[in-house]
Amino acid sequence: MINYYKISESEGESLVKKARAVVTEFLKNNKKMKLDEKFENTFSFNSGVFVTINNPQGLRGCIGYPLPTKKLFNALADAALAAATEDPRFNPIKSEELDKITFEVTVLTSPVEIKVENTSDYPSKIKVGRDGLIVKSGFNSGLLLPQVPQEYGWNEEQFLEHTCEKAGLPKDQWKKKETIIEKFEGIVFKEQSPNGRVSQVIL
């Protein structure tokens, strides 16, 4: 058994290819793929995971589990199907799109709450390129993966603002004492082209 810190490039490739295979089986045959024993044994530890699907225009679907409440092999399969068919921001992916989309898998560490004396210290406690964020306030919660601020060129303060907005909150909500902010790390593997070579994304 392995853990987040020891996922190799080949194991990352296996996760991405399995995410694609699960979605392909469902879209073409309307069946949930049975995972093979070797895959289950390799990824039989609990972990958060997100599956991101992109097309040439940009994001096509992204859903996952921030907390390590499921075995990774189960969480990956469920997240892949949900990203393809249940992301409320998009119509479900159709089988004819399979040759136009790329799959990306982010395996997460457990979130930890950031403790500060003064809320103005939050930006100094996070690092773009390493941390993902979760913002919680009242019944609202939002999450952005570690690769997102890099893709958009945000600094730490902008990252906090956009995570607040993802939660449906005012962008300066992170400055309020009652807001809870958590951070986590992720290891990212993605296809370079549809059904193409898989490599680790260095954040």
Side-chain angles (χ1 to χ4, degrees):
M1 190 175 78
I2 56 176
N3 62 31
Y4 160 90
Y5 294 105
K6 295 180 180 168
I7 294 178
S8 67
E9 190 107 12
S10 64
E11 286 156 345
E13 181 179 14
S14 176
L15 287 168
V16 174
K17 287 186 177 298
K18 191 65 70 177
R20 174 177 280 277
V22 165
V23 170
T24 299
E25 176 74 6
F26 184 80
L27 295 184
K28 290 192 170 179
N29 302 313
N30 200 30
K31 287 193 332 196
K32 190 167 181 182
M33 172 184 277
K34 179 165 173 36
L35 302 176
D36 59 273
E37 188 176 351
K38 182 186 177 192
F39 185 83
E40 290 191 358
N41 288 340
T42 302
F43 301 106
S44 63
F45 57 96
N46 284 32
S47 177
V49 66
F50 272 73
V51 174
T52 304
I53 301 171
N54 290 292
N55 65 15
Q57 286 72 49
L59 184 65
R60 187 64 180 84
C62 180
I63 285 183
Y65 300 94
L67 299 176
T69 54
K70 293 186 174 190
K71 300 293 186 190
L72 180 54
F73 66 84
N74 265 335
L76 176 90
D78 292 346
L81 284 179
T85 64
E86 297 174 16
D87 190 324
R89 298 168 291 181
F90 305 98
N91 292 324
I93 290 172
K94 294 182 165 50
S95 60
E96 52 264 32
E97 293 181 69
L98 285 165
D99 292 336
K100 303 180 182 73
I101 56 177
T102 57
F103 283 76
E104 179 178 306
V105 173
T106 307
V107 182
L108 313 181
T109 60
S110 296
V112 293
E113 185 176 348
I114 306 171
K115 303 280 194 182
V116 292
E117 289 293 321
N118 193 309
T119 58
S120 63
D121 293 333
Y122 276 125
S124 68
K125 301 291 184 183
I126 63 177
K127 183 179 177 184
V128 165
R130 180 192 67 196
D131 299 324
L133 291 180
I134 300 171
V135 169
K136 300 176 183 176
S137 184
F139 293 107
N140 292 55
S141 177
L143 177 149
L144 286 176
L145 295 172
Q147 56 268 48
V148 173
Q150 283 201 308
E151 291 168 0
Y152 289 97
W154 299 336
N155 62 27
E156 282 76 11
E157 191 163 324
Q158 290 170 319
F159 189 16
L160 285 161
E161 291 175 348
H162 284 284
T163 313
C164 289
E165 291 178 333
K166 180 75 182 290
L169 297 164
K171 69 178 185 179
D172 63 350
Q173 185 69 33
W174 63 273
K175 298 177 180 177
K176 306 269 173 52
K177 276 283 189 188
E178 68 271 17
T179 304
I180 295 170
I181 299 176
E182 298 174 333
K183 65 180 177 179
F184 59 89
E185 295 178 31
I187 184 168
V188 187
F189 300 92
K190 69 184 293 186
E191 292 178 329
Q192 298 305 307
S193 59
N195 213 14
R197 189 172 71 84
V198 175
S199 60
Q200 182 176 342
V201 178
I202 304 303
L203 298 176

